[in-house]
Amino acid sequence: MNNKFFLYFFIIVLIGCNNKKEISFETLKISTEKEVNKPLVVINVPKAIKKSKVSETINKTIKDKVISLLIFDDEVVVDNIDDAISSLNDEFLSVKEKLPGDATRWEATINGKVIYETDKIITIDLETYEFTGGAHGYESSILLNFDVVKGELIPNEELFSSKEEFYNIAESTFRLQEKIPANVPINDTGFMFEEEVFTLPNNIGYTKKGLKLLYNTYEVGSYADGQIEVLLPYAEINKMLVVKGEKQE
């Protein structure tokens, strides 16, 4: 009887181990730093190396985001990063030919990292900098949440079990952080929400301390305002999330 019990216990443990979702990452590194008369492109982004559906989704999503950041001409269609870099170089050379006095080197930097990981969800942050002439470059961040079990990228609208309740606490926290009284329009202190209505940002992501709401430069404010981040602790919002967050050290 005891032998049967231990055999059963061993099988259950083995099945549990095999079902555990584990994703390993390495860094995809690309740089044109040593190339002359070409834009400076520096890419350091996570690459999932364990063969699985979620790994394929992560890698394809990151590749597509990198390509979209490098493509200057919306009519150009490419399916790999090398061709996207070549397209950026062609645009740079075309501008130099038209404006020979403007020799400023273009830049595109994309640094990514895994900022949150459990057996249910992985969040990756892509921090980008682009400069294609002008007074200054543009910095932005892209937050990507992946469902480890389903192997899918999670749209923002599917993060919440109670979106209206989350929306309300997000606006209250934003107003408190930015010192906007509850009884005045959301743009009263200089923000630029469309139609004077608070909206959630395009980038929402899990972090070790809470759910981050990230407004990139120009999304709701001026260049001088820069990026605006709002952090909502999981203890306050987990009841509103489809996948509960875990505070991590």
Side-chain angles (χ1 to χ4, degrees), residues 20-72:
K20 187 178 181 181
K21 305 295 183 181
E22 294 181 346
I23 308 298
S24 298
F25 291 93
E26 62 182 16
T27 302
L28 173 64
K29 299 182 179 182
I30 299 173
S31 175
T32 65
E33 186 175 3
K34 296 181 180 180
E35 298 185 29
V36 180
N37 295 323
K38 292 183 178 181
L40 173 61
V41 177
V42 179
I43 298 170
N44 296 284
V45 295
K47 180 180 179 181
I49 57 177
K50 183 178 179 180
K51 189 174 182 180
S52 66
K53 183 178 178 181
V54 69
S55 293
E56 293 174 358
T57 300
I58 289 172
N59 292 338
K60 184 180 185 306
T61 301
I62 291 177
K63 182 194 73 170
D64 291 345
K65 292 294 182 182
V66 169
I67 289 173
S68 69
L69 290 165
L70 295 175
I71 292 296
F72 193 83

Side-chain angles (χ1 to χ4, degrees), residues 190-193 215-226 228:
F191 285 103
M192 295 182 283
F193 286 93
Y215 296 88
N216 278 312
T217 305
Y218 296 127
E219 192 170 343
V220 295
S222 66
Y223 179 80
D225 292 320
I228 300 170

Side-chain angles (χ1 to χ4, degrees), residues 111-134:
N111 292 312
K113 59 184 176 180
V114 178
I115 61 172
Y116 183 85
E117 183 175 8
T118 68
D119 60 353
K120 295 180 180 179
I121 195 165
I122 291 173
T123 300
I124 292 176
D125 180 10
L126 299 179
E127 297 181 352
T128 76
Y129 173 78
E130 299 173 88
F131 176 78
T132 54

Side-chain angles (χ1 to χ4, degrees), residues 166-168 170-172 174-175 186 193-201 213 215:
F166 180 84
Y167 175 94
N168 290 334
E171 179 174 4
S172 297
F174 184 92
R175 284 177 175 270
I186 192 68
F193 286 93
E194 291 187 10
E195 299 181 4
E196 292 275 4
V197 176
F198 174 82
T199 55
L200 296 176
L213 309 183
Y215 296 88

Side-chain angles (χ1 to χ4, degrees), residues 4 7 9 26 31 44 47-48 69 82 84 92 94 97 101 106 115 130-131 134 138 152-153 173 177 182 238 245 247:
K4 290 182 178 180
L7 177 60
F9 179 77
E26 62 182 16
S31 175
N44 296 284
K47 180 180 179 181
L69 290 165
D82 288 339
F92 173 66
S94 176
E97 185 177 343
W106 288 5
I115 61 172
E130 299 173 88
F131 176 78
Y138 177 71
E152 299 173 350
L153 178 67
T173 305
Q177 175 179 302
N238 259 344
K247 185 175 181 180

